[in-house]
Amino acid sequence: MLHVLYLVHDLSDPAVRRRVIMMQAGGATVTVAGFTRSREPIREIATIVPIDLGRTSDGRFTQRVAAVARAALTLGSRLKGVARPDLIIGRNLEMLALANRAKAFFSGDVPIVYECLDIHRLLLRRDMTGKALRFVERTLSNNAQLLITSSPAFVRQYFAPFGQINLPVEVVENKVLELGPQETEAISRAGKSKDEPWKIGWFGALRCRTSLELLSAFSRKMEGRVEIVLRGRPAYSEFDDFDRFVADEPFMQFHGAYANPEDLQKIYDEVHFSWAIDFYEAGQNSNWLLPNRLYEGCRYGSVPIAMQGTETSLFLQERGIGFSLGEPTVEVLAALFDEMDTDRYERAREKVKAQERSTWVFDQNDCRALVERLGRLTRANEHGAVLRVAA
């Protein structure tokens, strides 16, 4: 059985839990170690007691670098009771540094996988800071055997043109994890009633101030014809006062965190549209990612709204589904909903429902395929082109 040491930047991140479950479902044994950004310690992740390496904070890059440096000094003692892994995965750049440290601790011949799901804006700078960070990434990845990323645009727009990684690439999209028997129909939302307002759900990692302000102004302009429902984990460092702002909004509600994937059907069943837009790093990472909410919303029948010129919009365009805004303005968004009626919405929803289940879902077989792919690294060093798995 493959034993994976999984080094993560945030033990409280729901996506970490999902990845752990995926590897377990594929037949791997997982040891998890990492930092936490939550106020409360993380006692358990998918039945695993994690190794806590300390606290870090959103938006404080220097503090994170210092925390990684401290962890590197004590990593050997933290891992002393851990059986030698077959594979080490470093999730994000700072954890790739610790993966290299762990590799040395475990005799130096354990394969490393670099899991990069976001391209930090500092890596894209053209000044000495950006050049230095890219040099660090190239150096640390010299000991890696595989890159896992979640969007092909990250390879097209960053890794290839900057010459960062000379590795095989596995694109594992942020799909909904479903490990039970295959469901032929997972969409239960009834059609919109005559007097019901349209509801847009913005779920997941809430870190985009521009989205919050745009949806606020838009919902006020629509005077109750459209309501905004927020769920997930706000990045409080990105807002002046998120809770106060939302509390003062007449047509916006925040319902807190949710369990993924357990609560997905329930929460998406309460909205008509999903907000698949992020301006947090517009023109860079935000344009290139394929967010969790894209797959979650479409799996459960909400119609996605994206921005033109992004990888999400291209994804929707290729499948002929959803709506893409030409400009991020109240007027453009209002024009979309001024033309929205029940028939147009139902046609858009039927197009989403008509997509293959595998477009949105990562199932048991996909978990096995992923673990098998990882397992091959322990048997041979592989060199290959970009691969895309049904994940």
Side-chain angles (χ1 to χ4, degrees):
M1 181 177 287
L2 186 73
H3 176 205
V4 177
L5 173 60
Y6 194 27
L7 302 175
V8 303
H9 67 298
D10 183 4
L11 294 170
S12 61
D13 186 345
V16 167
R17 175 177 177 265
R18 187 176 68 229
R19 183 71 87 228
V20 170
I21 293 172
M22 287 165 57
M23 289 189 286
Q24 290 174 324
T29 298
V30 185
T31 298
V32 183
F35 299 98
T36 183
R37 298 182 188 176
S38 62
R39 296 171 183 171
E40 300 297 326
I42 304 302
R43 307 291 185 190
E44 176 267 332
I45 300 174
T47 72
I48 298 169
V49 178
I51 300 169
D52 193 334
L53 299 180
R55 289 184 57 81
T56 56
S57 302
D58 285 325
R60 296 180 59 191
F61 184 75
T62 302
Q63 187 267 342
R64 284 161 55 188
V65 170
V68 170
R70 288 193 298 271
L73 295 175
T74 61
L75 190 63
S77 61
R78 300 287 184 94
L79 298 177
K80 194 169 184 179
V82 175
R84 186 179 188 276
D86 301 304
L87 182 80
I88 302 170
I89 301 178
R91 186 180 177 103
N92 289 356
L93 180 56
E94 61 260 47
M95 306 316 293
L96 178 61
L98 292 184
N100 276 266
R101 181 75 172 174
K103 178 184 176 79
F105 176 75
F106 288 112
S107 303
D109 59 347
V110 180
I112 291 177
V113 174
Y114 178 25
E115 184 177 31
C116 182
L117 307 178
D118 286 294
I119 309 300
H120 196 282
R121 59 184 176 272
L122 292 179
L123 285 164
L124 297 164
R125 285 170 51 163
R126 301 287 181 170
D127 60 9
M128 290 304 297
T129 298
K131 291 177 180 178
L133 284 173
R134 289 193 295 275
F135 173 78
V136 169
E137 184 179 55
R138 287 194 299 271
T139 301
L140 292 174
S141 65
N142 283 338
N143 285 329
Q145 282 72 49
L146 181 70
L147 170 69
I148 291 178
T149 192
S150 57
S151 169
F154 291 147
V155 179
R156 277 199 324 271
Q157 302 290 349
Y158 173 67
F159 287 111
F162 281 88
Q164 283 303 97
I165 302 293
N166 184 26
L167 295 172
V169 180
E170 196 88 13
V171 179
V172 183
E173 297 170 61
N174 290 314
K175 297 185 181 183
V176 177
L177 183 60
E178 291 186 8
L179 299 179
Q182 288 197 8
E183 302 174 33
T184 56
E185 179 63 71
I187 301 171
S188 61
R189 166 174 252 290
K192 177 181 176 294
S193 64
K194 181 178 179 181
D195 298 325
E196 181 185 8
W198 296 112
K199 293 183 179 180
I200 300 174
W202 180 24
F203 301 156
L206 309 179
R207 60 183 183 178
C208 178
R209 182 186 300 189
T210 301
S211 285
L212 187 67
E213 293 174 350
L214 174 58
L215 290 169
S216 163
F218 163 67
S219 63
R220 286 176 179 263
K221 179 178 177 63
M222 301 305 287
E223 298 180 326
R225 288 185 289 147
V226 181
E227 295 181 357
I228 312 300
V229 181
L230 311 180
R231 293 181 184 271
R233 300 197 312 161
Y236 284 101
S237 62
E238 300 302 321
F239 305 100
D240 293 331
D241 190 340
F242 176 87
D243 294 326
R244 176 73 173 251
F245 184 97
V246 175
D248 290 342
E249 288 301 306
F251 309 113
M252 181 179 285
Q253 311 155 36
F254 174 55
H255 295 299
Y258 57 92
N260 184 343
E262 293 86 350
D263 294 341
L264 292 180
Q265 179 152 358
K266 175 180 178 294
I267 65 175
Y268 280 101
D269 200 39
E270 296 173 354
V271 300
H272 304 97
F273 300 88
S274 58
W275 187 254
I277 295 176
D278 184 352
F279 303 103
Y280 177 66
E281 292 178 349
Q284 298 178 345
N285 189 74
S286 293
N287 283 42
W288 305 335
L289 55 77
L290 291 172
N292 292 296
R293 59 180 67 96
L294 167 65
Y295 302 92
E296 296 168 0
C298 290
R299 173 55 176 154
Y300 295 106
S302 65
V303 178
I305 300 173
M307 276 300 306
Q308 289 181 14
T310 65
E311 189 72 7
T312 301
S313 178
L314 177 62
F315 181 100
L316 298 179
Q317 182 182 340
E318 289 175 346
R319 292 158 180 80
I321 59 176
F323 298 101
S324 293
L325 307 179
E327 295 180 82
T329 65
V330 170
E331 292 71 25
V332 169
L333 193 51
L336 172 63
F337 279 85
D338 284 341
E339 298 176 357
M340 191 65 62
D341 57 25
T342 302
D343 288 342
R344 189 182 186 198
Y345 163 70
E346 287 296 341
R347 288 195 300 271
R349 184 167 174 268
E350 287 301 319
K351 289 180 181 179
V352 173
K353 290 171 61 178
Q355 302 300 305
E356 292 290 333
R357 176 178 179 272
S358 59
T359 306
W360 318 119
V361 169
F362 196 103
D363 64 17
Q364 186 84 48
N365 289 333
D366 297 317
C367 293
R368 294 191 187 100
L370 176 60
V371 171
E372 171 60 26
R373 177 71 178 95
L374 296 176
R376 291 202 300 271
L377 297 175
T378 69
R379 298 190 290 272
N381 290 324
E382 296 182 340
H383 303 279
V386 172
L387 302 175
R388 186 165 187 153
V389 298

